[in-house]
Amino acid sequence: MLKKILKLIKFLIVGIIWTIVFFKLVNFILDYFWNFNLLSAQSWQLINSYWEAGGVIRTWQDYLLLFIFVLYIPLWLWGWKKCYHIDYIQLLLEPFALYNKKTLENYEKDISKLKIKNMGTKLMKAEEELEMKSKPKEPIRTDEEVNKIRQAVAEKINSVHYKE
């Protein structure tokens, strides 16, 4: 129930603010190009008398005036819908998020230099360790050499065993 009330409040506040902004914007455009005020009865009478006297739409300014009159309500409703779906909390927090992002980028620039330097030495050490582990400590011997070593070890063992 509370969510529905909050949505209704947001809907009304956004609608009021959007209506004011939209009305001011359209009124500014109309006043700038034609000295036309939406709230002035005199302006509407001038348009009515022009149209009844056989007025013709010729210039781009005339087409813009017609375009504004025809699309005034659809644009107002479309803008209201778009403004309602904006996340205003995120929009208010955006400057802080941009500041934090910029600060982190500055720190990451300094850290990346250190990481690359440190990672390079660690990587070289890791490669050296892998090479050391993969290399046999003693060279591979042939069968003859192995048999000679076995005989020498057996003689040592026998000589020690007999001396006792």
Side-chain angles (χ1 to χ4, degrees):
M1 182 71 176
L2 184 62
K3 277 190 173 184
K4 288 182 181 181
I5 293 172
L6 290 175
K7 283 185 178 184
L8 178 64
I9 291 171
K10 178 183 176 184
F11 182 76
L12 292 175
I13 290 173
V14 167
I16 291 168
I17 293 172
W18 169 247
T19 301
I20 293 169
V21 169
F22 185 73
F23 178 77
K24 293 280 187 185
L25 179 67
V26 170
N27 212 21
F28 173 76
I29 292 170
L30 292 172
D31 188 39
Y32 183 79
F33 288 111
W34 300 280
N35 289 333
F36 183 85
N37 187 354
L38 287 171
L39 298 178
S40 171
Q42 184 181 9
S43 295
W44 286 105
Q45 287 172 352
L46 185 65
I47 292 286
N48 187 30
S49 63
Y50 174 76
W51 192 254
E52 286 181 1
V56 179
I57 299 173
R58 291 189 186 127
T59 64
W60 67 272
Q61 293 150 333
D62 295 338
Y63 281 106
L64 184 61
L65 181 64
L66 179 65
F67 180 74
I68 288 173
F69 286 153
V70 169
L71 293 179
Y72 184 82
I73 292 179
L75 284 175
W76 172 65
L77 292 173
W78 178 80
W80 190 348
K81 180 182 176 188
K82 287 294 183 183
C83 289
Y84 176 74
H85 290 293
I86 293 173
D87 186 6
Y88 290 100
I89 294 174
Q90 182 67 29
L91 188 65
L92 290 173
L93 293 177
E94 191 65 27
F96 299 108
L98 290 174
Y99 175 75
N100 285 340
K101 183 179 177 184
K102 188 71 172 171
T103 305
L104 284 174
E105 285 176 0
N106 289 339
Y107 283 123
E108 286 175 355
K109 287 178 186 175
D110 295 337
I111 291 173
S112 65
K113 292 176 186 174
L114 295 174
K115 279 186 178 178
I116 291 172
K117 182 178 177 183
N118 292 341
M119 284 179 63
T121 57
K122 286 182 181 178
L123 184 61
M124 289 178 61
K125 288 180 183 177
E127 288 176 357
E128 289 174 5
E129 287 179 19
L130 284 174
E131 287 178 16
M132 298 272 288
K133 288 180 181 178
S134 64
K135 288 182 183 177
K137 293 182 182 178
E138 296 180 11
I140 298 174
R141 303 184 188 262
T142 61
D143 287 336
E144 293 175 14
E145 292 175 335
V146 170
N147 286 334
K148 286 181 184 177
I149 293 172
R150 283 185 185 150
Q151 285 177 359
V153 170
E155 287 176 8
K156 278 275 193 190
I157 292 173
N158 288 337
S159 65
V160 171
H161 184 59
Y162 288 120
K163 286 184 182 178
E164 294 177 7

